[in-house]
Amino acid sequence: MNIEIKAIRKSYGRKQVLRDITLSVTSGKCIGILGSNGSGKSTLLSILAGVQSSDGGEFLFDGRDLFKYEKQRALLVGYVPQGTPLIEELTAKDNLFLWYTREEMQKELDSGILKMLGIGDFLSTQVSKMSGGMKKRLAIGCAIAKRPPILILDEPMAALDIACKQSISEYIKRHKQEGGIVLISTHDLIEMELCDEQYIIKNGVLNRFDYKGNLDELVKSL
Amino acid sequence: MKRYFYLQLKRGLKVFPFILLTALIILASVAAIFLAVQSRMQNSEENQRFKIAITGDLDDKYSQLGLAVLQNFDDTRFAIELVEMTTDEAEAQLKKGGISAYVVLPENFIERALSGDVDRVTYVTSAGSQNVVSMFKNEFTALITDMVVHSEKGTYAISSAVKDSGLSGAGKYMDELSMEYVDLIFSRSKVMTVEQLGISQGVSTTEYYVCGLAVFLLMLLGITFVTMCVKHDLSLNRLLVSKGTSSLAQLIGEFAAHYIILSLLIAAMAAIGSVALAIVGKGDLLLTSFADLLPLFARIFVVLLMISGFNTLMFELSGNVVSAVLFHFFSTMGLCYVSGCFYPIYSLPLPLQKLSHFLPTGIAREYLEGYFVGDTNFIQLVGILIFTVAFLTAALLIRSAKIKSRRWRYAKTV
């Protein structure tokens, strides 16, 4: 299983945000995409997730362009956007019900991903009364319903505590071990350590960056 | 989409008590304001008499007699108070608003009238009072002038002819003729009857206001949904799009849930209102029996479709609760005002009267009026459906743009 991103372009008015973004990822890899605020990281991820369209380019999954096969893309890609993709007035269980059948939910809560994320502990809690970490874990739990092989995470650990970050890290590691592919937009050093390859988007261009723990070098590159 | 709709409905039912409470507070506030204004207007109308000054040549004893007769016997005494003053005083009073108008009797008015040659009296009013009332006053003044001049001319012509022909005992007939004339003047109110054919589509004033204010209140209730429906974080909508639930499907799910909750709210408020009226012993205020009201409720639920669409658009246009409340309130006020929901439509300028037939609130008001006059209002029904679709289409365009917008992506993070 592999994905290929070929020559993706995107402009907002006259401003070209993405210029011929090209990338190839094989099974079991996690790719980190870095960049300063407004550099185009989230735009690239939302294009791959099908939230917005590109001005050109391809998103190939085992040779098949997912931009042309919307239903397949929806099944193959799990997307965690920034923010809280949850209904605040309802409980965790209600929110999960939007993405899982009752049987699927029970199975995942008993021995699956939802158990690993610890969602069973706050199943009956209303979202508006949850902490940021609980909300993010629940959001990931919702996004990975049906176990999509490609995970696209837009700054998943932003403003979370260490315990919560660890829980999400564990899940990402397990997803890689199971042969899945992960694309992360990040500013977080813990997330960067999870990544097998790092890329930086600058002026709309994607370039490979090998992060070796030197923060000054990273800041200069952004 | 089915699950999204179900969850939106569940969400709405969860916050329903809060929505109902807010709606009752709004309704109570509007009712209190309406009753206060109505009572004030009623009092001022009851106490109000138009004050008209009589100026000019008033030295003649017949002028004094005429004024006394008008003040004590004529029907106008209930609506008009006549006061004597000089022309300069009257002009000053008119400028200050102390009087509504003044009438100038020309020099030797009575003397000349007695000889059958009467000048026209002058009626002076301020520019701001050129309304239907002053128009009637002008007509009234002209009527008196013309009738006095021409009738008196006729009376004196006959009198002269009788004298010239040397007939004896004609004075008695002349007196009778004059009395007939005076009686005619005093009983002129019996000559005409005012009948009201109705304001719009033939509905009575009360029915018109019931429909107009119902549309206003139904629109206003959208504000109670603001905290629930205004989105400041579209990440769920982005996730839904990513998972194959389009913006259109999301919007229809939200619209359907909103429509059901709004309908429940109206039903609950109607029930609470009926019980409250019965408790305070004012059950007779209900227009008719519950069974007869069902067709009216059916029309209200049709109108609610359009209002739900309008609310959906308003919520989509606003980025936060405060702007949503203000935007919704002022849009509602503006639309309802221009559509004649607060004042009879004929009181608005002609272009606005024509425009109201094409505005959503104007169409909704006319559709509700159909209940009272037994009209199906098919055109208005089509208009309501067209506006519902138009509002949802506009909301869809905005939602799609927001989902793709960079600004909205960074609106809120955990």
Short mmCIF file of all heavy atoms in Angstrom, two decimals, chain A residues 132-159:
data_model
loop_
_atom_site.label_atom_id
_atom_site.label_comp_id
_atom_site.label_asym_id
_atom_site.label_seq_id
_atom_site.Cartn_x
_atom_site.Cartn_y
_atom_site.Cartn_z
N GLY A 132 -9.82 19.55 27.23
CA GLY A 132 -9.33 19.61 25.84
C GLY A 132 -8.81 18.25 25.39
O GLY A 132 -9.04 17.84 24.25
N GLY A 133 -8.12 17.54 26.31
CA GLY A 133 -7.56 16.23 25.97
C GLY A 133 -8.64 15.21 25.67
O GLY A 133 -8.53 14.42 24.72
N MET A 134 -9.68 15.22 26.49
CA MET A 134 -10.80 14.28 26.27
C MET A 134 -11.45 14.56 24.91
O MET A 134 -11.77 13.63 24.16
CB MET A 134 -11.84 14.43 27.39
CG MET A 134 -11.37 13.89 28.74
SD MET A 134 -12.25 14.67 30.11
CE MET A 134 -13.56 13.52 30.37
N LYS A 135 -11.62 15.85 24.62
CA LYS A 135 -12.25 16.21 23.34
C LYS A 135 -11.41 15.74 22.15
O LYS A 135 -11.93 15.22 21.18
CB LYS A 135 -12.43 17.74 23.26
CG LYS A 135 -13.55 18.28 24.11
CD LYS A 135 -13.63 19.80 23.95
CE LYS A 135 -14.71 20.37 24.86
NZ LYS A 135 -14.76 21.84 24.81
N LYS A 136 -10.08 15.93 22.28
CA LYS A 136 -9.23 15.55 21.16
C LYS A 136 -9.23 14.04 20.96
O LYS A 136 -9.28 13.53 19.85
CB LYS A 136 -7.81 16.08 21.40
CG LYS A 136 -6.87 15.93 20.23
CD LYS A 136 -7.40 16.51 18.93
CE LYS A 136 -7.13 17.97 18.78
NZ LYS A 136 -7.57 18.50 17.47
N ARG A 137 -9.20 13.30 22.08
CA ARG A 137 -9.23 11.83 21.97
C ARG A 137 -10.54 11.37 21.34
O ARG A 137 -10.56 10.48 20.50
CB ARG A 137 -9.05 11.19 23.35
CG ARG A 137 -7.58 11.16 23.78
CD ARG A 137 -7.40 10.41 25.06
NE ARG A 137 -7.79 11.21 26.21
CZ ARG A 137 -8.08 10.71 27.41
NH1 ARG A 137 -8.05 9.41 27.61
NH2 ARG A 137 -8.41 11.50 28.41
N LEU A 138 -11.61 12.03 21.76
CA LEU A 138 -12.91 11.67 21.19
C LEU A 138 -12.96 12.02 19.70
O LEU A 138 -13.49 11.25 18.88
CB LEU A 138 -14.03 12.42 21.94
CG LEU A 138 -15.46 12.16 21.48
CD1 LEU A 138 -15.83 10.68 21.60
CD2 LEU A 138 -16.46 12.99 22.28
N ALA A 139 -12.38 13.18 19.35
CA ALA A 139 -12.36 13.60 17.94
C ALA A 139 -11.60 12.57 17.10
O ALA A 139 -12.05 12.20 16.00
CB ALA A 139 -11.71 14.97 17.81
N ILE A 140 -10.48 12.09 17.64
CA ILE A 140 -9.71 11.06 16.90
C ILE A 140 -10.53 9.78 16.81
O ILE A 140 -10.61 9.14 15.76
CB ILE A 140 -8.34 10.82 17.57
CG1 ILE A 140 -7.48 12.08 17.40
CG2 ILE A 140 -7.64 9.61 16.97
CD1 ILE A 140 -6.14 12.02 18.11
N GLY A 141 -11.18 9.45 17.92
CA GLY A 141 -12.04 8.25 17.93
C GLY A 141 -13.12 8.32 16.87
O GLY A 141 -13.46 7.31 16.23
N CYS A 142 -13.65 9.51 16.66
CA CYS A 142 -14.69 9.69 15.63
C CYS A 142 -14.07 9.57 14.23
O CYS A 142 -14.63 8.92 13.34
CB CYS A 142 -15.34 11.06 15.77
SG CYS A 142 -16.37 11.23 17.23
N ALA A 143 -12.90 10.20 14.05
CA ALA A 143 -12.29 10.27 12.71
C ALA A 143 -11.83 8.90 12.23
O ALA A 143 -11.78 8.64 11.03
CB ALA A 143 -11.12 11.24 12.73
N ILE A 144 -11.47 8.00 13.16
CA ILE A 144 -10.93 6.71 12.73
C ILE A 144 -11.99 5.61 12.70
O ILE A 144 -11.65 4.42 12.63
CB ILE A 144 -9.75 6.28 13.63
CG1 ILE A 144 -10.22 6.20 15.09
CG2 ILE A 144 -8.56 7.23 13.47
CD1 ILE A 144 -9.17 5.67 16.03
N ALA A 145 -13.24 5.99 12.73
CA ALA A 145 -14.31 5.00 12.60
C ALA A 145 -14.13 4.25 11.28
O ALA A 145 -13.70 4.85 10.30
CB ALA A 145 -15.67 5.70 12.62
N LYS A 146 -14.40 2.97 11.26
CA LYS A 146 -14.22 2.09 10.09
C LYS A 146 -12.74 1.82 9.78
O LYS A 146 -12.40 1.29 8.73
CB LYS A 146 -14.88 2.64 8.82
CG LYS A 146 -16.21 3.34 8.99
CD LYS A 146 -17.34 2.37 9.13
CE LYS A 146 -18.65 3.16 9.20
NZ LYS A 146 -19.73 2.39 9.77
N ARG A 147 -11.86 2.28 10.70
CA ARG A 147 -10.42 2.01 10.58
C ARG A 147 -9.83 2.34 9.20
O ARG A 147 -9.37 1.46 8.47
CB ARG A 147 -10.15 0.54 10.88
CG ARG A 147 -10.62 0.12 12.25
CD ARG A 147 -9.45 -0.12 13.11
NE ARG A 147 -9.85 -0.72 14.38
CZ ARG A 147 -9.07 -1.53 15.07
NH1 ARG A 147 -7.91 -1.87 14.60
NH2 ARG A 147 -9.46 -1.98 16.22
N PRO A 148 -9.82 3.60 8.81
CA PRO A 148 -9.24 3.96 7.50
C PRO A 148 -7.71 3.78 7.53
O PRO A 148 -7.08 4.08 8.55
CB PRO A 148 -9.61 5.43 7.35
CG PRO A 148 -9.77 5.92 8.74
CD PRO A 148 -10.28 4.78 9.55
N PRO A 149 -7.12 3.30 6.44
CA PRO A 149 -5.67 3.08 6.44
C PRO A 149 -4.85 4.37 6.40
O PRO A 149 -3.70 4.37 6.83
CB PRO A 149 -5.44 2.26 5.17
CG PRO A 149 -6.61 2.53 4.30
CD PRO A 149 -7.76 2.82 5.21
N ILE A 150 -5.45 5.46 5.87
CA ILE A 150 -4.70 6.72 5.80
C ILE A 150 -5.24 7.67 6.86
O ILE A 150 -6.45 7.97 6.86
CB ILE A 150 -4.85 7.38 4.41
CG1 ILE A 150 -4.45 6.40 3.30
CG2 ILE A 150 -4.04 8.66 4.32
CD1 ILE A 150 -4.89 6.83 1.92
N LEU A 151 -4.35 8.10 7.74
CA LEU A 151 -4.79 9.06 8.77
C LEU A 151 -4.19 10.43 8.47
O LEU A 151 -2.99 10.55 8.24
CB LEU A 151 -4.27 8.62 10.14
CG LEU A 151 -5.16 7.80 11.03
CD1 LEU A 151 -4.51 7.64 12.40
CD2 LEU A 151 -6.53 8.45 11.19
N ILE A 152 -5.06 11.45 8.44
CA ILE A 152 -4.58 12.82 8.21
C ILE A 152 -4.92 13.63 9.46
O ILE A 152 -6.10 13.81 9.79
CB ILE A 152 -5.26 13.42 6.96
CG1 ILE A 152 -4.80 12.63 5.72
CG2 ILE A 152 -4.92 14.89 6.82
CD1 ILE A 152 -5.43 13.08 4.43
N LEU A 153 -3.90 14.05 10.17
CA LEU A 153 -4.11 14.73 11.45
C LEU A 153 -3.57 16.16 11.38
O LEU A 153 -2.38 16.36 11.12
CB LEU A 153 -3.40 13.97 12.57
CG LEU A 153 -3.65 12.45 12.65
CD1 LEU A 153 -2.75 11.81 13.70
CD2 LEU A 153 -5.11 12.14 12.96
N ASP A 154 -4.46 17.11 11.60
CA ASP A 154 -4.06 18.53 11.52
C ASP A 154 -3.78 19.04 12.94
O ASP A 154 -4.71 19.30 13.71
CB ASP A 154 -5.19 19.34 10.86
CG ASP A 154 -4.70 20.69 10.36
OD1 ASP A 154 -3.57 21.07 10.72
OD2 ASP A 154 -5.45 21.36 9.63
N GLU A 155 -2.53 19.11 13.29
CA GLU A 155 -2.08 19.53 14.62
C GLU A 155 -2.85 18.81 15.73
O GLU A 155 -3.54 19.44 16.54
CB GLU A 155 -2.19 21.05 14.78
CG GLU A 155 -1.36 21.79 13.74
CD GLU A 155 -1.31 23.29 13.98
OE1 GLU A 155 -1.56 23.72 15.11
OE2 GLU A 155 -1.02 24.02 13.03
N PRO A 156 -2.73 17.49 15.80
CA PRO A 156 -3.57 16.72 16.75
C PRO A 156 -3.24 16.95 18.21
O PRO A 156 -4.08 16.72 19.07
CB PRO A 156 -3.31 15.27 16.34
CG PRO A 156 -1.97 15.30 15.71
CD PRO A 156 -1.85 16.61 15.03
N MET A 157 -2.01 17.37 18.50
CA MET A 157 -1.63 17.48 19.92
C MET A 157 -1.56 18.92 20.41
O MET A 157 -1.02 19.15 21.50
CB MET A 157 -0.30 16.78 20.15
CG MET A 157 -0.36 15.29 19.85
SD MET A 157 1.14 14.48 20.34
CE MET A 157 1.05 12.95 19.42
N ALA A 158 -2.08 19.85 19.62
CA ALA A 158 -2.01 21.26 20.01
C ALA A 158 -2.72 21.47 21.34
O ALA A 158 -3.86 21.04 21.51
CB ALA A 158 -2.63 22.12 18.93
N ALA A 159 -2.04 22.10 22.28
CA ALA A 159 -2.59 22.49 23.58
C ALA A 159 -3.10 21.32 24.43
O ALA A 159 -4.06 21.46 25.17
CB ALA A 159 -3.71 23.51 23.38
#
